[in-house]
Amino acid sequence: MATPTSTALDPAPTATAAADAGQRPAFIPLEANPELMTSLLHKLGLSPALQIHDVYSITEPELLAFIPRPALALLLVFPVSAAYTSHRLAEDAAEAEYAGSGDAEPVLWYRQTIRNACGLMGLLHAVSNGPAKGFVQEDTPLARLIAQSTPLKPLERSALLERTPELAAAHAEAASQGDTVAPDAQDDVDLHYVCFVKTEDGEGKSGTLWELDGARKGPIRRGTLGPDEDVLSEKALLWGPLKFLEREGADMRFSCVALAGSLD
C-alpha cells in the first residue's frame, strides 16, 4: 500500500454534475494524514472520543490489531486508472441517479460538485452515517450540516456544501498543513477517496456495508455484515478495498485510514 499521506482528487465530473466543471468551486486536495483529518473533524464538531487512524495493512492481522475496534468507517485512497474508470462506468450504467432524501434514507449521501474535495466528502460520509453519527456534538458545524442536509435532495445538498463557509475554511486550514507540498485547488491529481461505512439494522443485529463516493450515481450497497463485523472485518475488506487492489495489479498507490475510538 502507498504511504498514508497521498493527496487525492475526484475523477472527472459526470454528465449529471450539478454545475459546469469550469464554474465549480475548488478545494486544495486533502492528504490522507490522520492527524490533519482528526483535527479537521474535531474542529467541525466530532467528539474527541473518535479519531482517524493509519491502516498500515489490510491483509496482516497483526497490523490491523493496532486499530481500536469497532472501526466505524474506512477511507481508501486509490489511483483513478483506466481499469477503475471502466469498472465504474459499467457498474453505474445499470443504476438510476440517486434521488433519496429524508430520515427514511438508508444512508446520508453527498454528491460531490466541489473540485478536489473527495477527501472531505469521504470524511463527511464517515461521520454522517452509522454509529459515528452519534458522536457529532450538538450545535456544531457538523451537526447543523447533517440536520440541514437530511431533508434535501442530492443536488440541493451539494449546493448546501458549496455555500457553507465554515466547511471551506476548516478544509483550507487542514489541506494547507500537510506533510507534502499541497497541490493547487485547480490541479489534476489522479488519486481519489472512497468511504466504506456499516449501518446497523438494529441494536445487536446485522448491518449493511456501503460504499459512499460523491462521484458515483449514489450510495452502493456492498453486502451484509454480522453483529460482530465492522469495516475492517474480513468480508468488508474483501468487498471493499481488496477489490480495488485486485483491479489495479502492479499500481500500489493505495492508502487507508479508519475512523475509530481515540487511543488517549
Side-chain angles (χ1 to χ4, degrees):
M1 298 178 68
T3 63
T5 53
S6 302
T7 50
L9 169 75
D10 57 301
T14 66
T16 56
D20 179 79
Q23 299 175 342
R24 289 187 302 159
F27 283 1
I28 299 171
L30 186 67
E31 280 188 358
N33 179 316
E35 183 177 352
L36 290 183
M37 288 179 158
T38 298
S39 176
L40 172 58
L41 290 175
H42 289 171
K43 184 180 294 290
L44 289 173
L46 185 69
S47 166
L50 295 183
Q51 66 184 50
I52 299 291
H53 302 265
D54 276 320
V55 178
Y56 295 109
S57 172
I58 57 174
T59 58
E60 300 176 66
E62 62 272 19
L63 294 179
L64 284 171
F66 285 102
I67 310 298
R69 308 294 282 272
L72 305 184
L74 178 66
L75 275 69
L76 170 70
V77 183
F78 65 94
V80 181
S81 65
Y84 166 73
T85 301
S86 176
H87 164 79
R88 186 192 71 181
L89 291 175
E91 192 171 44
D92 282 356
E95 300 296 329
E97 292 285 349
Y98 183 72
S101 65
D103 292 328
E105 272 188 293
V107 285
L108 184 59
W109 178 75
Y110 301 94
R111 180 185 298 283
Q112 181 183 344
T113 57
I114 302 172
R115 182 177 174 82
N116 287 350
C118 57
L120 177 63
M121 302 300 292
L123 292 174
L124 290 179
H125 282 133
V127 299
S128 298
N129 294 289
K133 187 176 178 180
F135 288 85
V136 174
Q137 297 174 315
E138 295 182 3
D139 196 26
T140 62
L142 269 181
R144 291 190 290 271
L145 182 65
I146 291 171
Q148 293 169 13
S149 295
T150 298
L152 302 179
K153 294 291 186 181
L155 293 184
E156 294 171 320
R157 285 179 189 164
S158 298
L160 175 64
L161 296 183
E162 291 181 9
R163 64 173 186 266
T164 302
E166 293 165 309
L167 198 62
H171 181 278
E173 180 180 350
S176 64
Q177 296 178 358
D179 292 334
T180 58
V181 177
D184 186 85
Q186 296 292 345
D187 282 355
D188 289 332
V189 184
D190 64 346
L191 296 173
H192 184 59
Y193 281 88
V194 63
C195 178
F196 297 93
V197 299
K198 176 190 177 184
T199 56
E200 298 177 343
D201 298 332
E203 186 175 352
K205 297 182 180 180
S206 299
T208 300
L209 178 70
W210 294 92
E211 180 180 325
L212 302 175
D213 180 348
R216 301 295 293 267
K217 283 189 172 181
I220 304 169
R221 188 189 300 267
R222 288 304 185 195
T224 300
L225 298 175
D228 299 324
E229 294 178 306
D230 64 4
V231 295
L232 291 178
S233 64
E234 184 176 352
K235 283 197 301 188
L237 293 173
L238 180 63
W239 294 335
L242 287 173
K243 287 291 186 184
F244 285 78
L245 283 167
E246 181 182 332
R247 275 195 299 270
E248 300 312 315
D251 192 336
M252 299 303 291
R253 293 178 298 155
F254 288 83
S255 61
C256 285
V257 294
L259 177 66
S262 173
L263 292 174
D264 297 337

